[in-house]
Amino acid sequence: MVLRGDAEIGFQQVSELLPFKELEFVGPLPAEVQQRVFFSAGVALALVRTVHADYQTCVANAINWFRREAVKKDLVCANEKYCLLRDGHPVCWNHANCDVFVDAAADLWKDW
């Protein structure tokens, strides 16, 4: 709408705005009005059947792969426009926060 001239200001997720060089990104909304976007992960039934393992093993394997083998600099979001991890970038998760999250997920999974 903003690009077409139908509006002078627009609100959208940062990751959706940045590809448009015609737009001027003026910054995020104040923290008190921000909405969080929650992501979740799942294990496809086909994977469980293919590797002949239960869900718990598949999730543990995925976490372990990410922690030990994944080339994190090569991981991208679903639209392949942005790296998932990049320090100091407004639409990417920084490495330290990711490591803390994945370690906490691994600890939580062990406790289940």
Side-chain angles (χ1 to χ4, degrees), residues 70-82:
V71 181
K72 294 178 179 85
K73 70 176 183 62
D74 293 341
L75 298 175
V76 294
C77 64
N79 66 12
E80 297 185 351
K81 289 186 179 185
Y82 301 105

Side-chain angles (χ1 to χ4, degrees), residues 50-68:
T50 301
V51 298
H52 306 289
D54 56 23
Y55 284 106
Q56 291 81 359
T57 302
C58 287
V59 170
N61 287 342
I63 290 171
N64 288 331
W65 168 82
F66 187 85
R67 291 170 84 188
R68 298 180 187 141

Side-chain angles (χ1 to χ4, degrees), residues 3-20:
L3 278 177
R4 288 192 314 255
D6 297 339
E8 292 183 24
I9 189 170
F11 299 91
Q12 180 58 281
Q13 290 174 286
V14 174
S15 61
E16 301 300 318
L17 295 173
L18 292 181
F20 296 96

